Amino acid sequence: MKKQATRILIATLVLGAALAATGQEAAPLVFEPLPYAYDALEPHIDAQTMEIHYARHHQAYYNNLVNAVTGTALEGQALEALFARASELPVAVRNNGGGHWNHTFFWQNMAPDAGGIPEGDLLAAIEAAFGSFADFQAKFEAAAMTRFGSGWAWLSVDAQGQLFVSSTPNQDNPLMNVVAERGTPILGLDVWEHAYYLKYQNLRGSYISAFWNVVNWPEVAARFSRATAPAE
Ligand code: MN
């Protein structure tokens, strides 16, 4: 145990030094308020699920992340920078860092009175990449349905600016260097059972269908715009 703890400490110090050398700004960890009321996404996502998901599950990822980095060289590092080195992270930082970041991202890509289809450049890019919006939906739904056990489905932008659909296990995400398909996510769907079991029980497909009614396409379009903007 002592040897392992020493190895983790050394790995953490090496990683922290490497990150410090990149000049990443310190980024305080913030547990942001949910951007809408617990019942705002009813009937598609019920209030009880939202409350437990945000106030217990997300809060726990956040608390565990703070505990895992406080007093280490990782404290104050931007999560996005940590994810690029996910393979080197202590498992508690990878899992809880992903859990905190993914949930913050997920709350923001949903909204009340939302849904429909995207417009403008994002719709054009979806049609170019997948053939049609319906073809994109089918591919995203398949990624969400076939993720065995717990994980996420994503729409992301790759290094060439192309859209792609993928899924990741547990609390991994496409920013992490441990995933097969890396990119900048612009839409995410939590398919852990805690995200839907109270209302939909084992019917993950019903939850995925309902999700389309609450997708915040203007936010997804803003993310797409940032992810494809020319580097300064
Ligand atoms: Mn979740």
Side-chain angles (χ1 to χ4, degrees), residues 10 24 33 143 171 182 199:
I10 289 170
Q24 291 281 347
Q171 295 296 352
R182 291 180 70 182
K199 181 177 176 73

Side-chain angles (χ1 to χ4, degrees), residues 71-224:
T72 77
L74 301 180
E75 188 173 359
Q77 301 294 339
L79 287 177
E80 291 83 355
L82 294 181
F83 295 159
R85 296 167 168 274
S87 57
E88 303 165 42
L89 292 176
V91 68
V93 177
R94 171 174 164 183
N95 288 341
N96 293 294
H100 174 50
W101 191 96
N102 293 350
H103 285 84
T104 302
F105 184 86
F106 179 51
W107 308 137
Q108 293 168 352
N109 71 213
M110 297 189 291
D113 304 316
I117 65 168
E119 299 173 347
D121 290 347
L122 175 57
L123 179 60
I126 286 173
E127 290 172 344
F130 305 105
S132 69
F133 181 69
D135 288 325
F136 153 70
Q137 282 185 299
K139 195 159 189 184
F140 188 90
E141 289 181 2
M145 275 305 289
T146 57
R147 166 49 53 196
F148 184 76
S150 298
W152 292 74
W154 306 96
L155 173 64
S156 305
V157 180
D158 71 15
Q160 285 71 46
Q162 299 299 305
L163 290 171
F164 68 97
V165 163
S166 67
S167 81
T168 55
N170 306 314
Q171 295 296 352
D172 289 352
N173 67 49
L175 295 170
M176 293 184 177
N177 71 343
V178 293
V179 303
E181 299 166 274
R182 291 180 70 182
T184 304
I186 62 171
L187 175 69
L189 174 61
D190 187 344
V191 295
W192 283 57
E193 281 191 345
H194 69 223
Y196 62 88
Y197 202 84
L198 289 177
K199 181 177 176 73
Y200 297 101
Q201 292 80 50
N202 59 317
L203 302 177
R204 185 189 286 186
S206 300
Y207 161 70
I208 295 167
S209 298
F211 173 65
W212 298 118
N213 296 301
V214 294
V215 173
N216 183 359
W217 286 115
E219 170 63 19
V220 179
R223 292 169 174 174
F224 175 70

Side-chain angles (χ1 to χ4, degrees), residues 48-60:
Q48 188 184 19
T49 295
M50 281 301 300
E51 179 166 5
I52 293 171
H53 201 174
Y54 172 78
R56 299 195 206 169
H57 291 280
H58 186 181
Q59 179 82 63

